[in-house]
Amino acid sequence: MRTKIFELCKSPTAQCWLLSHAGTRITWRGGESALQSQVASWCWCWDLGASALMASVTQQQIQKFHKDGFLVLEQFFSAEECDSMRSQIQRIVAEMEVPPHCRTAFSTREEEQLQQQGSSDYFLTSGDKIRFFFEKGVLDEKGNFLIPKEKSVSKIGHALHAHDPVFKQITHSPKVQELGRKLGLERPVVVQSMYIFKQPGIGGEVTPHQDASFLHTEPLGRILGFWIALEDATQENGCLWFIPGSHTNGITRRMVRAASGASTCVEFVGSEPAYDDKQFIPLPIRKGGLILIHGEVVHKSELNSSESSRHAFTFHVMEAKGTTWSKENWLQPTPELPFPSLYT
């Protein structure tokens, strides 16, 4: 009987539990199959418990998040979960069909943003769709690829969390929901998601910014980013950099929808201050790690000049209770896709 039980319980955590209880006499009515079924259930529950313990967050860590505006949680996701997302994105890219006139380069530099995304309805209407954005220099004047398409993509956004089953499952996973509750979120909704490639050698820099400049709420302090490393993120391949405590200073710049008849679809109001590079600290993180990002903390990433990519999946949530989403934001909920609740 013991051998058959262990065949059902192959995970190390479950086996350790059974070994620790090896001397316990179990009387079970219902026959061998019923006992096997119950033990399998115990093993499954034990695995869920072990996973939850690995992903647990302490009150001290939550306090650190409120102090710094960011928090690193290593090994929050398993290698298998990371690999499932990478495999799924490979399938999505393989089936990618973007008309040449819709192919635009993604940039975080203000002038380039207005020229590329700001003049593109393809970008402005991407909030409830899965759409593709490309690195600079990978397209010719007609929008044709100069390099293999799988090496040209900068990011895919902005509704993977709603339309793709793999990314939907990750976004609404029990450990993410539990983390939201520990952070005190009462009615969190998911406003957008992105898969970021940071391609080797050409993955562009992301200039210093605050997410609330693009995802504005009244009051402030209601936006939270979840940034998942699907590969090791290092200083060489473009890990994130933060200014600790910078989330307490408000915002000075917003990207808003332009008035009807303007030459671009969006425009910037205000300006980003000049930041001292010495204030930034790097946050290298291993595959499976999660970085929580306050909506007003200043962060950036450098050009990926290495030979390794730096894939990440990121999504943003808003605390909807007592919060107004700005109608001037480029991203708007639609009748087809209202912002879904994080909690299921």
mmCIF file of all heavy atoms in Angstrom, residues 304-332:
data_model
loop_
_atom_site.group_PDB
_atom_site.id
_atom_site.type_symbol
_atom_site.label_atom_id
_atom_site.label_comp_id
_atom_site.label_asym_id
_atom_site.label_seq_id
_atom_site.Cartn_x
_atom_site.Cartn_y
_atom_site.Cartn_z
ATOM 1 N N ASN A 304 19.603 47.095 -23.501
ATOM 2 C CA ASN A 304 20.154 45.750 -23.371
ATOM 3 C C ASN A 304 21.263 45.576 -24.407
ATOM 4 O O ASN A 304 20.999 45.341 -25.584
ATOM 5 C CB ASN A 304 19.064 44.704 -23.593
ATOM 6 C CG ASN A 304 19.590 43.281 -23.458
ATOM 7 O OD1 ASN A 304 20.760 43.065 -23.123
ATOM 8 N ND2 ASN A 304 18.737 42.308 -23.721
ATOM 9 N N SER A 305 22.495 45.703 -23.955
ATOM 10 C CA SER A 305 23.632 45.559 -24.865
ATOM 11 C C SER A 305 24.254 44.169 -24.788
ATOM 12 O O SER A 305 25.292 43.915 -25.394
ATOM 13 C CB SER A 305 24.696 46.616 -24.534
ATOM 14 O OG SER A 305 25.101 46.514 -23.177
ATOM 15 N N SER A 306 23.600 43.270 -24.055
ATOM 16 C CA SER A 306 24.126 41.920 -23.879
ATOM 17 C C SER A 306 23.634 41.005 -24.992
ATOM 18 O O SER A 306 22.885 41.415 -25.887
ATOM 19 C CB SER A 306 23.701 41.360 -22.520
ATOM 20 O OG SER A 306 22.343 40.950 -22.554
ATOM 21 N N GLU A 307 24.028 39.745 -24.913
ATOM 22 C CA GLU A 307 23.577 38.741 -25.879
ATOM 23 C C GLU A 307 22.395 37.945 -25.348
ATOM 24 O O GLU A 307 21.977 36.962 -25.973
ATOM 25 C CB GLU A 307 24.740 37.805 -26.217
ATOM 26 C CG GLU A 307 25.915 38.502 -26.906
ATOM 27 C CD GLU A 307 27.049 37.549 -27.241
ATOM 28 O OE1 GLU A 307 26.932 36.365 -26.859
ATOM 29 O OE2 GLU A 307 28.022 37.984 -27.873
ATOM 30 N N SER A 308 21.848 38.364 -24.204
ATOM 31 C CA SER A 308 20.730 37.647 -23.588
ATOM 32 C C SER A 308 19.494 38.540 -23.548
ATOM 33 O O SER A 308 19.590 39.737 -23.256
ATOM 34 C CB SER A 308 21.082 37.220 -22.158
ATOM 35 O OG SER A 308 22.237 36.408 -22.139
ATOM 36 N N SER A 309 18.345 37.959 -23.838
ATOM 37 C CA SER A 309 17.091 38.710 -23.728
ATOM 38 C C SER A 309 16.720 38.851 -22.257
ATOM 39 O O SER A 309 17.337 38.244 -21.371
ATOM 40 C CB SER A 309 15.981 37.993 -24.503
ATOM 41 O OG SER A 309 15.807 36.668 -24.024
ATOM 42 N N ARG A 310 15.699 39.667 -22.001
ATOM 43 C CA ARG A 310 15.220 39.872 -20.638
ATOM 44 C C ARG A 310 13.699 39.943 -20.673
ATOM 45 O O ARG A 310 13.098 40.989 -20.531
ATOM 46 C CB ARG A 310 15.817 41.164 -20.058
ATOM 47 C CG ARG A 310 15.617 41.373 -18.554
ATOM 48 C CD ARG A 310 15.180 42.791 -18.232
ATOM 49 N NE ARG A 310 13.883 43.100 -18.801
ATOM 50 C CZ ARG A 310 13.360 44.330 -18.823
ATOM 51 N NH1 ARG A 310 14.025 45.374 -18.373
ATOM 52 N NH2 ARG A 310 12.142 44.528 -19.360
ATOM 53 N N HIS A 311 13.083 38.773 -20.863
ATOM 54 C CA HIS A 311 11.635 38.727 -20.980
ATOM 55 C C HIS A 311 10.971 38.978 -19.626
ATOM 56 O O HIS A 311 11.445 38.516 -18.584
ATOM 57 C CB HIS A 311 11.185 37.372 -21.509
ATOM 58 C CG HIS A 311 11.501 37.152 -22.955
ATOM 59 N ND1 HIS A 311 10.783 36.280 -23.753
ATOM 60 C CD2 HIS A 311 12.443 37.699 -23.767
ATOM 61 C CE1 HIS A 311 11.280 36.301 -24.984
ATOM 62 N NE2 HIS A 311 12.290 37.140 -25.016
ATOM 63 N N ALA A 312 9.838 39.693 -19.679
ATOM 64 C CA ALA A 312 9.063 39.956 -18.468
ATOM 65 C C ALA A 312 7.594 40.071 -18.835
ATOM 66 O O ALA A 312 7.244 40.505 -19.938
ATOM 67 C CB ALA A 312 9.539 41.242 -17.792
ATOM 68 N N PHE A 313 6.735 39.686 -17.908
ATOM 69 C CA PHE A 313 5.298 39.926 -18.036
ATOM 70 C C PHE A 313 4.905 40.879 -16.923
ATOM 71 O O PHE A 313 5.273 40.678 -15.756
ATOM 72 C CB PHE A 313 4.504 38.628 -17.927
ATOM 73 C CG PHE A 313 3.008 38.841 -17.931
ATOM 74 C CD1 PHE A 313 2.394 39.459 -19.002
ATOM 75 C CD2 PHE A 313 2.225 38.424 -16.863
ATOM 76 C CE1 PHE A 313 1.012 39.670 -19.022
ATOM 77 C CE2 PHE A 313 0.849 38.617 -16.870
ATOM 78 C CZ PHE A 313 0.241 39.242 -17.951
ATOM 79 N N THR A 314 4.199 41.925 -17.281
ATOM 80 C CA THR A 314 3.821 42.917 -16.283
ATOM 81 C C THR A 314 2.357 43.300 -16.449
ATOM 82 O O THR A 314 1.834 43.313 -17.568
ATOM 83 C CB THR A 314 4.720 44.176 -16.393
ATOM 84 O OG1 THR A 314 4.325 45.135 -15.408
ATOM 85 C CG2 THR A 314 4.631 44.805 -17.765
ATOM 86 N N PHE A 315 1.691 43.571 -15.352
ATOM 87 C CA PHE A 315 0.324 44.077 -15.418
ATOM 88 C C PHE A 315 0.108 45.088 -14.299
ATOM 89 O O PHE A 315 0.835 45.109 -13.296
ATOM 90 C CB PHE A 315 -0.701 42.934 -15.343
ATOM 91 C CG PHE A 315 -0.631 42.082 -14.113
ATOM 92 C CD1 PHE A 315 -1.389 42.371 -12.993
ATOM 93 C CD2 PHE A 315 0.191 40.966 -14.072
ATOM 94 C CE1 PHE A 315 -1.333 41.583 -11.850
ATOM 95 C CE2 PHE A 315 0.258 40.159 -12.940
ATOM 96 C CZ PHE A 315 -0.501 40.471 -11.823
ATOM 97 N N HIS A 316 -0.858 45.959 -14.502
ATOM 98 C CA HIS A 316 -1.163 47.005 -13.520
ATOM 99 C C HIS A 316 -2.583 46.837 -12.993
ATOM 100 O O HIS A 316 -3.501 46.520 -13.764
ATOM 101 C CB HIS A 316 -1.025 48.391 -14.149
ATOM 102 C CG HIS A 316 0.387 48.794 -14.412
ATOM 103 N ND1 HIS A 316 1.057 48.453 -15.573
ATOM 104 C CD2 HIS A 316 1.276 49.487 -13.650
ATOM 105 C CE1 HIS A 316 2.291 48.934 -15.524
ATOM 106 N NE2 HIS A 316 2.447 49.559 -14.373
ATOM 107 N N VAL A 317 -2.737 47.075 -11.713
ATOM 108 C CA VAL A 317 -4.062 47.057 -11.113
ATOM 109 C C VAL A 317 -4.341 48.417 -10.482
ATOM 110 O O VAL A 317 -3.429 49.163 -10.129
ATOM 111 C CB VAL A 317 -4.204 45.939 -10.046
ATOM 112 C CG1 VAL A 317 -3.868 44.574 -10.635
ATOM 113 C CG2 VAL A 317 -3.332 46.214 -8.834
ATOM 114 N N MET A 318 -5.608 48.728 -10.388
ATOM 115 C CA MET A 318 -6.060 49.951 -9.735
ATOM 116 C C MET A 318 -6.998 49.588 -8.595
ATOM 117 O O MET A 318 -7.884 48.735 -8.768
ATOM 118 C CB MET A 318 -6.800 50.846 -10.739
ATOM 119 C CG MET A 318 -7.442 52.080 -10.105
ATOM 120 S SD MET A 318 -8.446 53.059 -11.275
ATOM 121 C CE MET A 318 -9.866 51.986 -11.549
ATOM 122 N N GLU A 319 -6.803 50.216 -7.453
ATOM 123 C CA GLU A 319 -7.775 50.089 -6.377
ATOM 124 C C GLU A 319 -8.985 50.918 -6.773
ATOM 125 O O GLU A 319 -8.944 52.152 -6.806
ATOM 126 C CB GLU A 319 -7.194 50.595 -5.063
ATOM 127 C CG GLU A 319 -8.194 50.695 -3.913
ATOM 128 C CD GLU A 319 -8.936 49.395 -3.635
ATOM 129 O OE1 GLU A 319 -8.382 48.550 -2.921
ATOM 130 O OE2 GLU A 319 -10.067 49.231 -4.145
ATOM 131 N N ALA A 320 -10.078 50.239 -7.122
ATOM 132 C CA ALA A 320 -11.250 50.930 -7.667
ATOM 133 C C ALA A 320 -12.115 51.581 -6.593
ATOM 134 O O ALA A 320 -12.878 52.507 -6.896
ATOM 135 C CB ALA A 320 -12.094 49.945 -8.485
ATOM 136 N N LYS A 321 -11.988 51.134 -5.349
ATOM 137 C CA LYS A 321 -12.831 51.700 -4.301
ATOM 138 C C LYS A 321 -12.442 53.155 -4.044
ATOM 139 O O LYS A 321 -11.303 53.459 -3.713
ATOM 140 C CB LYS A 321 -12.693 50.882 -3.019
ATOM 141 C CG LYS A 321 -13.601 51.375 -1.896
ATOM 142 C CD LYS A 321 -13.480 50.517 -0.651
ATOM 143 C CE LYS A 321 -14.408 51.024 0.442
ATOM 144 N NZ LYS A 321 -14.295 50.208 1.683
ATOM 145 N N GLY A 322 -13.385 54.052 -4.213
ATOM 146 C CA GLY A 322 -13.136 55.464 -3.958
ATOM 147 C C GLY A 322 -12.181 56.109 -4.946
ATOM 148 O O GLY A 322 -11.551 57.123 -4.630
ATOM 149 N N THR A 323 -12.064 55.544 -6.159
ATOM 150 C CA THR A 323 -11.086 56.012 -7.140
ATOM 151 C C THR A 323 -11.780 56.373 -8.444
ATOM 152 O O THR A 323 -12.701 55.680 -8.879
ATOM 153 C CB THR A 323 -10.032 54.930 -7.416
ATOM 154 O OG1 THR A 323 -9.459 54.499 -6.181
ATOM 155 C CG2 THR A 323 -8.926 55.463 -8.318
ATOM 156 N N THR A 324 -11.310 57.452 -9.067
ATOM 157 C CA THR A 324 -11.798 57.851 -10.383
ATOM 158 C C THR A 324 -10.679 57.683 -11.400
ATOM 159 O O THR A 324 -9.576 58.226 -11.226
ATOM 160 C CB THR A 324 -12.273 59.314 -10.384
ATOM 161 O OG1 THR A 324 -13.335 59.471 -9.427
ATOM 162 C CG2 THR A 324 -12.767 59.725 -11.760
ATOM 163 N N TRP A 325 -10.956 56.919 -12.436
ATOM 164 C CA TRP A 325 -10.025 56.735 -13.544
ATOM 165 C C TRP A 325 -10.150 57.930 -14.480
ATOM 166 O O TRP A 325 -11.248 58.263 -14.920
ATOM 167 C CB TRP A 325 -10.346 55.440 -14.272
ATOM 168 C CG TRP A 325 -9.471 55.136 -15.450
ATOM 169 C CD1 TRP A 325 -9.758 55.330 -16.767
ATOM 170 C CD2 TRP A 325 -8.162 54.555 -15.418
ATOM 171 N NE1 TRP A 325 -8.716 54.919 -17.570
ATOM 172 C CE2 TRP A 325 -7.717 54.443 -16.755
ATOM 173 C CE3 TRP A 325 -7.316 54.133 -14.395
ATOM 174 C CZ2 TRP A 325 -6.478 53.920 -17.102
ATOM 175 C CZ3 TRP A 325 -6.082 53.608 -14.726
ATOM 176 C CH2 TRP A 325 -5.669 53.503 -16.061
ATOM 177 N N SER A 326 -9.029 58.571 -14.788
ATOM 178 C CA SER A 326 -9.090 59.785 -15.600
ATOM 179 C C SER A 326 -9.576 59.484 -17.012
ATOM 180 O O SER A 326 -9.059 58.593 -17.690
ATOM 181 C CB SER A 326 -7.713 60.446 -15.665
ATOM 182 O OG SER A 326 -7.748 61.548 -16.547
ATOM 183 N N LYS A 327 -10.560 60.263 -17.473
ATOM 184 C CA LYS A 327 -11.045 60.132 -18.843
ATOM 185 C C LYS A 327 -10.048 60.682 -19.853
ATOM 186 O O LYS A 327 -10.233 60.518 -21.059
ATOM 187 C CB LYS A 327 -12.395 60.842 -18.985
ATOM 188 C CG LYS A 327 -13.505 60.178 -18.181
ATOM 189 C CD LYS A 327 -14.835 60.878 -18.384
ATOM 190 C CE LYS A 327 -15.947 60.187 -17.584
ATOM 191 N NZ LYS A 327 -17.260 60.852 -17.760
ATOM 192 N N GLU A 328 -8.995 61.340 -19.364
ATOM 193 C CA GLU A 328 -7.951 61.847 -20.244
ATOM 194 C C GLU A 328 -6.858 60.819 -20.496
ATOM 195 O O GLU A 328 -5.999 61.031 -21.353
ATOM 196 C CB GLU A 328 -7.319 63.117 -19.653
ATOM 197 C CG GLU A 328 -8.280 64.294 -19.552
ATOM 198 C CD GLU A 328 -7.584 65.521 -19.005
ATOM 199 O OE1 GLU A 328 -6.773 65.366 -18.050
ATOM 200 O OE2 GLU A 328 -7.832 66.623 -19.527
ATOM 201 N N ASN A 329 -6.853 59.717 -19.744
ATOM 202 C CA ASN A 329 -5.839 58.676 -19.953
ATOM 203 C C ASN A 329 -5.950 58.120 -21.371
ATOM 204 O O ASN A 329 -7.045 57.963 -21.909
ATOM 205 C CB ASN A 329 -6.010 57.539 -18.955
ATOM 206 C CG ASN A 329 -5.572 57.918 -17.556
ATOM 207 O OD1 ASN A 329 -4.794 58.852 -17.359
ATOM 208 N ND2 ASN A 329 -6.064 57.199 -16.558
ATOM 209 N N TRP A 330 -4.796 57.744 -21.931
ATOM 210 C CA TRP A 330 -4.833 57.137 -23.271
ATOM 211 C C TRP A 330 -5.587 55.816 -23.240
ATOM 212 O O TRP A 330 -6.280 55.446 -24.188
ATOM 213 C CB TRP A 330 -3.411 56.926 -23.791
ATOM 214 C CG TRP A 330 -2.711 55.750 -23.162
ATOM 215 C CD1 TRP A 330 -1.891 55.764 -22.067
ATOM 216 C CD2 TRP A 330 -2.790 54.378 -23.583
ATOM 217 N NE1 TRP A 330 -1.463 54.491 -21.765
ATOM 218 C CE2 TRP A 330 -1.997 53.621 -22.690
ATOM 219 C CE3 TRP A 330 -3.441 53.730 -24.627
ATOM 220 C CZ2 TRP A 330 -1.839 52.234 -22.810
ATOM 221 C CZ3 TRP A 330 -3.295 52.348 -24.743
ATOM 222 C CH2 TRP A 330 -2.500 51.616 -23.837
ATOM 223 N N LEU A 331 -5.460 55.093 -22.138
ATOM 224 C CA LEU A 331 -6.089 53.780 -21.975
ATOM 225 C C LEU A 331 -7.456 53.951 -21.324
ATOM 226 O O LEU A 331 -7.568 54.578 -20.262
ATOM 227 C CB LEU A 331 -5.201 52.889 -21.106
ATOM 228 C CG LEU A 331 -5.750 51.527 -20.715
ATOM 229 C CD1 LEU A 331 -5.787 50.604 -21.922
ATOM 230 C CD2 LEU A 331 -4.906 50.898 -19.609
ATOM 231 N N GLN A 332 -8.482 53.412 -21.954
ATOM 232 C CA GLN A 332 -9.832 53.522 -21.426
ATOM 233 C C GLN A 332 -10.523 52.163 -21.458
ATOM 234 O O GLN A 332 -10.319 51.379 -22.382
ATOM 235 C CB GLN A 332 -10.646 54.516 -22.254
ATOM 236 C CG GLN A 332 -10.172 55.960 -22.161
ATOM 237 C CD GLN A 332 -10.316 56.543 -20.762
ATOM 238 O OE1 GLN A 332 -11.272 56.236 -20.044
ATOM 239 N NE2 GLN A 332 -9.349 57.371 -20.363
#
